[in-house]
Amino acid sequence: MTGTQALLAAVGAGVRTYDLGRRLTIGMPQSPNHPPFWHALPRRHGDNVRADGGSAANDIITMGTHVGTHIDAFAHVSQDGRLVDGSDAAVAGRGGRFAELGAHTIAPMVRRGVLLDVPAALGQPDGCPPGYEITPQDLSAAAQRQGTPIRPGDVVLIRSGWGRLFDHEDRTRYVGHASGVPGVGAAGATWLADAGAHAVGADTIAFECLRPGAGHSVLPAHRVLLVERGVYIIETMALEELAADAVHEFLFVLSPLAIFGATGSPVRPLAVIANG
Amino acid sequence: MTGTQALLAAVGAGVRTYDLGRRLTIGMPQSPNHPPFWHALPRRHGDNVRADGGSAANDIITMGTHVGTHIDAFAHVSQDGRLVDGSDAAVAGRGGRFAELGAHTIAPMVRRGVLLDVPAALGQPDGCPPGYEITPQDLSAAAQRQGTPIRPGDVVLIRSGWGRLFDHEDRTRYVGHASGVPGVGAAGATWLADAGAHAVGADTIAFECLRPGAGHSVLPAHRVLLVERGVYIIETMALEELAADAVHEFLFVLSPLAIFGATGSPVRPLAVIANG
Amino acid sequence: MTGTQALLAAVGAGVRTYDLGRRLTIGMPQSPNHPPFWHALPRRHGDNVRADGGSAANDIITMGTHVGTHIDAFAHVSQDGRLVDGSDAAVAGRGGRFAELGAHTIAPMVRRGVLLDVPAALGQPDGCPPGYEITPQDLSAAAQRQGTPIRPGDVVLIRSGWGRLFDHEDRTRYVGHASGVPGVGAAGATWLADAGAHAVGADTIAFECLRPGAGHSVLPAHRVLLVERGVYIIETMALEELAADAVHEFLFVLSPLAIFGATGSPVRPLAVIANG
Amino acid sequence: MTGTQALLAAVGAGVRTYDLGRRLTIGMPQSPNHPPFWHALPRRHGDNVRADGGSAANDIITMGTHVGTHIDAFAHVSQDGRLVDGSDAAVAGRGGRFAELGAHTIAPMVRRGVLLDVPAALGQPDGCPPGYEITPQDLSAAAQRQGTPIRPGDVVLIRSGWGRLFDHEDRTRYVGHASGVPGVGAAGATWLADAGAHAVGADTIAFECLRPGAGHSVLPAHRVLLVERGVYIIETMALEELAADAVHEFLFVLSPLAIFGATGSPVRPLAVIANG
C-alpha cells in the first residue's frame, strides 16, 4: 500500500469535516472599510429555456476580499512603507495588483491545525469580554490545558468566543466598534510567531484586540504577523462547533482563490478529524 | 494514537499538494454568458498611513460564479422547469437566491479523487481533438489502463488535454466556440453517474462536448449530472500537472465558498498525495 | 433668427444652472435594500506610462440604481402583479431586464420645473417634521404662495427640508428609519397626478411620507404615481440651494442613463434660470 | 416676462430633443481596458410582495466610467506625471480618488453645441475611412460648409460616420483595433482648443485617430485637450440622427454624474432645437 493509499484508507475509514467558514449573505456583518458582499441572479430559470427544455441560472457577485471568512495575503499590510520581503509597498502595488505577494502566492494549506480555546482555559463560558487582550499566558494556558502544544508549521486558531455574535440581529455587535473586540495584541502575535505558526486565525473580523471606540486605528498583531514574521492571518472564522465538540487538534485545509495580485481571498477553511 | 493523529502522521510524513485551480486574472478566457472577473485596489499602500507607520491595501472584485475554476451547484441547471429535487426551478429562485440548492449547500469534499487521462488512454499526446465526444468506452479504457477503477463517492476528473489552451494568447481558443471543445456527452455523463461519482470535473469551461459553432445550445451532460443524477460538476480545472506526473489517484479536497443561494462558486480544488 | 437661435440667444444672455444631484461618494446615506455605491481606481497615473510620457487612470463602479439622486422607471413598482401599462410584472422582467418599461424608455426631460417649498409655505424654517405627511392643501398652499401654479407636463419638486440631513455625520439620520421621514402620501400623490405632473421629485430617499419605524413597508405614493398614473419619481434630490434663492420656476433638465431594462437610473438633474 | 419665463416660453413653443447617448447593454462594444458594463436584477416583481399587493424590482450595475457614452474628467490623463493644473498626477490620485479634478468637478453644460459633419464636408457618404486622421482643414471646411463657426465656449461634436458600426453584430468592428478608427490627431485637437471649445465629442470610443493595429498606444489628442488645454472629451456619442436631420447648431446639455474622484462619468448628452 502506497502512502497515498494509506492516506485514502485513513479518510475512507471515516472522517468528519468541520466547516470553519461563515456563509456569505447580503447584509452580513463586515468592516465598512471594504466593499460589501452583494449577490444577484442575472439569469433565472425560465428566462431562457433551450429547445430541449433545459435552462440555466447564474450569478453576479461583488465584494471586497476582506469580507466574510478570508485570509490576508502578505501584500495586505505594510509598515513604514515596506512589505514582509522588504520591498517598497507602493511600488509593489503599482498597476493595481501585487505580483509578488498577492493572494495567488498563498500556497494551499494541508497542515496540522490547533484550536486554542481561550474562554475554556480562562473559565469564561460566555467568551472573552469585549476589548480583552488575549495574552501569551492565555495562549500558553489553553495549549497546555488541551494537551496540544504548537509545533512549527501549524495553523493556530484562536477562539475568543466572539463568534457567537456573528448572527446577532444587530450586525454592528459583531463588528464591535463601540464595545471593542477581544483578540491578541503584539505580545500574543509574537508568541504565535515564535511558536512557529504558519498561519493563525480567529473568530473575529480583525483578529486583533480592539479597544472600545478605537476601531482599526492600530493593528499591531497585523504588523507583527504579516510584515515582521511572515505569518498569514485568517479572519471571521466559525469556531464554535469545534469548541463545542472539544476538537483541539485536526487536519487543517485551506485553499484560497488564486486572485492574481489581490491582498486577500475569501475562503472556507476546513478542520478534518478521523471518526471514532 | 487516535485516528486523527494517524491522519496527521500521514500528512506529517510528507504530502504533495497539486493545485487544480486556475489563476483569476482580468482578461482570462471565460464564457461571455457570465459577468467577467474584474479586480481593483480601492486602497493602496501609502494612501492612508496610520500614525504608527502602518498601512493597508485592499480589493474590490466583481465576477460571475461560473468563471475561472468553479463548481456548479444543483440550482444551476433545470430541465422542464424542475431542479434535481423535483422542485419548481422558477419558484426555487424567487427572491434572487436558491435557499435549498444553492452553493452554500455544497458540502466541502474530502474524498478519493481519480484522474481519467483520456488522451493518454487514446494515444493522443496533443489531447483530444476539438469537438471530440469522450465516450464511456474511453472513460473505461482510461480507468483500466491506469488501474484506478471508480468507486462510489469518488470525484472523477476527466482530462481532455484542452487545458493547454487556457493560457493561449488568443483567449477565444480555450472558449472554443468556433472549433468545438472535447468532452463527454449524455452517454459519458451517465457512465460517470452509474459509477457512483459524487462530483466530476474537467479541464474545459463547459465540461461538455461542444460541437463546432454550436456553443452552449445543448448541454446534455449538465442535464444528466445536475438534474437527473445529482452529481456536481467542476469546470476550468488545471489537470496538466497531475497528468504529467501520472498521478491518477489522490485525496481530493474542495471547499466551495458558501455563497448563500448562488448557482455556483469559484473554487481552488486540491489533489493531495503522499510523498515517496 | 430661427427658434433654435432664439433659444441659444436666451442661453447666451446668461443662465444659471442649479445642480439638483447629490455627489456619489462611498458611504453616503442610502437604503440598505439596494447595492451600495462603491468606486475604485483600477489604474492610477504612473501604473503604465506610455513611451511618450502619457498615462491614464480609470475607474470601476458598482451600485444599485436607486442610490444617490435617481429616477424610478415605471418598471420599478408593480401593484397586484401589474405594471402601469397593465402588463404582467413578472413576465415583463423575465430575462433580467424590462424591455418595455425600463430606464432606457425614460425620455430625457427638458420641461418647466416648479419647486414647491413646503416648509416655507407652512412657516417651518427647520423643515417638515420627521414622519410628517405633506397634504394636498400644503402643496396647493405652496404653489399659491409662490405664484407658480402647476401646469400639465411640469416636473414638480417637493422640498420638505429633509435634505439638510444628507451630509449628517450619522448617515442613518437621512435614511430616517427610526425617526420617520416627511413626504406626500396617497392623497398628495393623487393631487400631483391630477395637476398633470410629468415627473415629481423630492429631497428624501423614498419620496414618500415614512412613519417612524415603518420603513418601506407601504409606499402608497409609488403606487399612485408609478403604477396608476404614469408619473416618474426622482429621489434624493438637492433642493436647498433653489429654496435659499427662492427659485420656484425654472427650466428642468434631466437625462437618465439609458440602462437597458433597468428599474431606474442615477441622474444629476438641473434647474436652469435666466440671469437678471 | 422674466428671462426665465422667456426661456420657458421658447421651450414651451416646442423643442425637439436629440438623444446623443448610446444605450447601455450587456455586451455592447467597449475598450477591453475598462471594466465592462454589467447589469442584473437582484429583486424582481413577485419576489417580495407587500401586504398591500405592491412589489418593487431593483438593479445592480457594475462598470467602468469609460464605457458607453461618457465624458473624460481632467483627472483621466496625465503627461510626464502632471495633470492639467500642473499637479502631480500620482499624488492627486492618492486615496483612490481625485479630489481636485475628478468627475464631480465637471460643471453641467448648458451651451451652444455645433456638430461638424466631416463626411458631409468631404463628400464621403459612408463616413471617414478607418484610420483616417481628420485634419484642421477638414474641421474648418465642415464649419464653413454648414455656416456654423465655432465660438468660444461651444461644445463641438465631430462626426466621423464611425457610429454606424456601434450596433454591428461583430462588436470588435466599432472598437476597430485591427482596422483603425477615424478621428482627429494633435493638429485637429489644437484647432479645436484654439477655437475655444469648452468640450469636444465624437462618435468613436477613443475620439482619436487610431492607426490600424496601433490601439491606444499613443493618444495625442487626449494630451492636447485634457492635459495641455483643459478641454473635456466626450466619447461613444450617437451623432447619426443629428446628421441625418442636418442639425448642426443646437443647445447642448450634459449633466455628468457627480462621482466623487472618478476619472469620468457615463452620460446621456442632449441636443435641443426649437421646432419649426
Side-chain angles (χ1 to χ4, degrees), chain C residues 105-233:
Chain C
T105 65
I106 306 174
M109 298 176 196
V110 180
R111 290 170 175 271
R112 179 174 181 253
V114 170
L115 174 77
L116 294 182
D117 190 338
V118 176
L122 300 183
Q124 295 167 322
D126 293 339
C128 299
Y132 177 75
E133 180 172 339
I134 296 171
T135 66
Q137 290 71 28
D138 298 341
L139 299 173
S140 183
Q144 192 162 356
R145 173 183 164 278
Q146 300 170 177
T148 55
I150 311 304
R151 298 182 201 140
D154 282 356
V155 176
V156 185
L157 309 181
I158 301 168
R159 176 177 177 259
S160 71
W162 197 252
R164 72 188 181 284
L165 297 174
F166 186 80
D167 292 319
H168 197 285
E169 62 178 356
D170 175 359
R171 55 183 280 201
T172 68
R173 289 290 298 282
Y174 183 69
V175 177
H177 184 84
S179 63
V181 178
V184 301
T190 301
W191 186 91
L192 289 161
D194 287 348
H198 177 75
V200 297
D203 52 1
T204 61
I205 285 186
F207 184 77
E208 307 255 353
C209 170
L210 301 184
R211 308 296 179 185
H216 298 183
S217 54
V218 289
L219 298 174
H222 278 70
R223 171 179 48 78
V224 169
L225 294 166
L226 293 178
V227 187
E228 294 174 3
R229 305 297 295 271
V231 179
Y232 294 108
I233 303 176

Side-chain angles (χ1 to χ4, degrees), chain C residues 43-50 52-58, chain D residues 73-93 98 101 219-220 222-228 263:
Chain C
R43 224 175 339 133
R44 299 191 187 183
H45 292 294
D47 278 356
N48 188 12
V49 180
R50 286 188 296 263
D52 67 354
S55 165
N58 67 9
Chain D
F74 292 141
H76 181 42
V77 170
S78 66
Q79 182 65 29
D80 302 325
R82 298 284 157 184
L83 297 176
V84 69
D85 62 357
S87 64
D88 182 305
V91 172
F98 293 90
L101 294 171
L219 299 174
H222 279 69
R223 171 178 49 78
V224 169
L225 294 167
L226 293 178
V227 186
E228 295 173 4
T263 68

Side-chain angles (χ1 to χ4, degrees), chain D residues 145-191:
Chain D
R145 174 184 165 276
Q146 298 171 178
T148 55
I150 311 303
R151 298 183 200 138
D154 282 357
V155 176
V156 185
L157 309 182
I158 301 168
R159 176 178 177 259
S160 71
W162 197 254
R164 72 188 181 282
L165 296 174
F166 185 81
D167 292 318
H168 197 286
E169 62 177 357
D170 175 0
R171 55 180 279 198
T172 69
R173 288 290 298 281
Y174 183 70
V175 177
H177 184 85
S179 63
V181 177
V184 301
T190 300
W191 186 91

Side-chain angles (χ1 to χ4, degrees), chain A residues 222-273:
Chain A
H222 279 69
R223 171 178 49 78
V224 170
L225 294 166
L226 293 178
V227 186
E228 294 174 3
R229 306 297 295 272
V231 180
Y232 294 109
I233 303 176
I234 311 162
E235 292 160 308
T236 315
M237 300 187 79
L239 302 177
E240 294 304 291
E241 202 178 2
L242 278 185
D245 289 359
V247 173
H248 303 128
E249 184 180 33
F250 40 84
L251 181 63
F252 178 83
V253 183
L254 176 141
S255 193
L257 298 181
I259 310 174
F260 181 71
T263 68
S265 171
V267 293
R268 190 182 187 183
L270 306 176
V272 182
I273 61 167

Side-chain angles (χ1 to χ4, degrees), chain A residues 3-4 24 34 45 50 52-53 55-59 61 63 65 75-76 78-80 106 217 255-256 258 260 263 268 274, chain B residues 3-4 24 34 45 50 52-53 55-59 61 63 65 75-76 78-80 106 217 255-256 258 260 263 268 274:
Chain A
T4 299
L24 290 164
H34 298 285
H45 292 295
R50 288 188 295 264
D52 68 354
S55 165
N58 67 8
D59 309 280
I61 56 175
M63 63 189 299
T65 60
H76 181 41
S78 65
Q79 181 65 29
D80 301 325
I106 306 173
S217 55
S255 193
F260 181 71
T263 68
R268 190 182 187 183
Chain B
T4 299
L24 290 164
H34 298 285
H45 292 293
R50 287 187 295 262
D52 68 353
S55 164
N58 67 8
D59 309 280
I61 55 174
M63 63 188 301
T65 59
H76 182 40
S78 66
Q79 182 65 30
D80 302 325
I106 306 174
S217 55
S255 192
F260 181 69
T263 68
R268 190 181 186 184

